[in-house]
């Protein structure tokens, strides 16, 4: 079992920055891809970014590329999402997830992830 807990969300104005953290406990997830997703009320869960175990292979959703940066520190069992230049459209609940059973190098579908955190709320005001 892998337990994930997100933190770092909050209320920020347009153009501001937030750094989200995803702390893992239990079985090590250092070899698994870890992704970030977000979901706004009434909308489907949306892929944001994923990072592979080696930390050097990363894929971003088109809407966040150039503004967000995902990284991981396996020694600390933590994955980060640095969010800069935030926009109101970035508002939502952000989840981290681990894909321990996926064969995909860059899983982007929620169904490919088998462990999820509870989420942290990000609100961007104008």
């Amino acid at each position: 079992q892998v337990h994930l807990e997100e933190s770092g969300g909050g209320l920020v104005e347009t153009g501001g920055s937030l750094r989200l953290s995803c702390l893992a406990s239990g079985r090590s997830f250092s070899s698994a891809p870890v992704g970030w997703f977000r979901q706004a009320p009434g909308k489907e869960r949306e892929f944001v970014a994923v990072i592979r175990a080696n930390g050097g292979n990363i894929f971003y959703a088109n809407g966040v590329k150039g503004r967000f940066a995902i990284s991981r520190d396996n020694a600390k069992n933590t994955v980060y999402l640095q969010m800069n230049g935030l926009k109101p459209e970035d508002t939502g609940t952000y989840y981290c997830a681990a894909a321990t059973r996926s064969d995909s190098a860059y899983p982007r579908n929620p169904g490919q992830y088998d462990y999820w955190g509870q989420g942290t709320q990000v609100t961007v005001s104008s």
Side-chain angles (χ1 to χ4, degrees), residues 2-36:
V2 175
H3 296 90
L4 306 174
E5 183 177 358
E6 304 92 339
S7 62
L11 175 64
V12 64
E13 294 184 353
T14 298
S17 298
L18 286 172
R19 188 195 192 198
L20 306 184
S21 298
C22 175
L23 177 64
S25 61
R27 184 174 65 87
S28 176
F29 75 141
S30 61
S31 63
V34 174
W36 284 95

Side-chain angles (χ1 to χ4, degrees), residues 5-89:
E5 183 177 358
E6 304 92 339
S7 62
L11 175 64
V12 64
E13 294 184 353
T14 298
S17 298
L18 286 172
R19 188 195 192 198
L20 306 184
S21 298
C22 175
L23 177 64
S25 61
R27 184 174 65 87
S28 176
F29 75 141
S30 61
S31 63
V34 174
W36 284 95
F37 292 78
R38 65 189 182 189
Q39 188 168 18
K43 297 183 179 180
E44 298 294 325
R45 193 173 300 173
E46 178 187 23
F47 169 79
V48 176
V50 61
I51 185 169
R52 294 249 273 162
N54 64 7
N57 299 95
I58 295 169
F59 188 83
Y60 297 98
N62 289 336
V64 306
K65 188 175 183 180
R67 299 187 297 118
F68 291 10
I70 187 172
S71 61
R72 68 188 299 167
D73 186 339
N74 289 335
K76 296 181 178 180
N77 290 327
T78 302
V79 174
Y80 304 96
L81 184 68
Q82 178 67 46
M83 305 186 296
N84 301 320
L86 285 165
K87 306 174 182 179
E89 65 194 68

